[in-house]
Amino acid sequence: MGSAARPSARWDSGVKGWVDERGRVTRGFRNCPRRIALVSSSWLAFLGDAQHEVFEQEYDLVILDEAHRARKAGKGRQRRPNNLYRAIRRLATRSRSMLLATATPVQLDLIEAHDLLQILSEGAPEVLGGPFSRWNMYADEGLAWRSAVRNHRPVS
């Protein structure tokens, strides 16, 4: 038995339309022909803070592949979010659920794991607590403690 294509559509910014499983194009972002829609993280990174219909809709679920690319750069409290981080946080505020897919959640620094948790906590304060929770105010300390507990070594 041959494998059938799943009913899905992917956004193609070149044709400014949705391409379904059969290769048919439907123009206009709001005209997605399927319930499962795929949008690339590189395209979201390109959008960053720009205006686009993708940020005007409500979603049941947003899935971001290569989620580790959504991060902040810099040191301490002066860390600045990159374009993908800003774009996916905008989508998170419009989504009931988020799925951040990555095989490598930490690339350069342990704080990147907290960056991803901040995206998941958008509209869901039970993830990290409010802005004055210890997890938000002292993220480095919490991550160091959690990492030490997992590795069974004392925190200095």
Side-chain angles (χ1 to χ4, degrees), residues 56-153:
E56 297 169 6
Q57 296 182 191
E58 299 293 324
Y59 302 93
D60 285 333
L61 172 65
V62 170
I63 301 171
L64 178 68
D65 194 15
E66 301 293 322
H68 59 273
R69 292 184 180 174
R71 66 168 68 105
K72 297 178 186 175
K75 293 286 182 192
R77 299 208 184 272
Q78 280 68 40
R79 296 173 66 243
R80 302 256 184 247
N82 64 15
N83 280 352
L84 179 58
Y85 186 91
R86 290 192 310 272
I88 199 64
R89 276 205 69 184
R90 289 170 67 192
L91 284 179
T93 64
R94 308 194 64 84
S95 177
R96 289 183 55 226
S97 302
M98 296 286 301
L99 185 123
L100 303 180
T102 179
T104 53
V106 177
Q107 296 282 302
L108 306 172
D109 192 326
L110 192 55
I111 195 70
E112 293 173 15
H114 189 268
D115 294 345
L116 296 178
L117 287 171
Q118 280 188 312
I119 292 169
L120 292 175
S121 72
E122 202 57 56
E126 62 275 9
V127 173
L128 287 173
F132 300 109
S133 76
R134 291 192 63 80
W135 271 106
N136 279 318
M137 295 185 67
Y138 307 104
D140 288 329
E141 177 186 300
L143 289 167
W145 174 82
R146 180 64 184 119
S147 144
V149 167
R150 185 165 193 195
N151 294 323
H152 307 290
R153 55 179 198 251

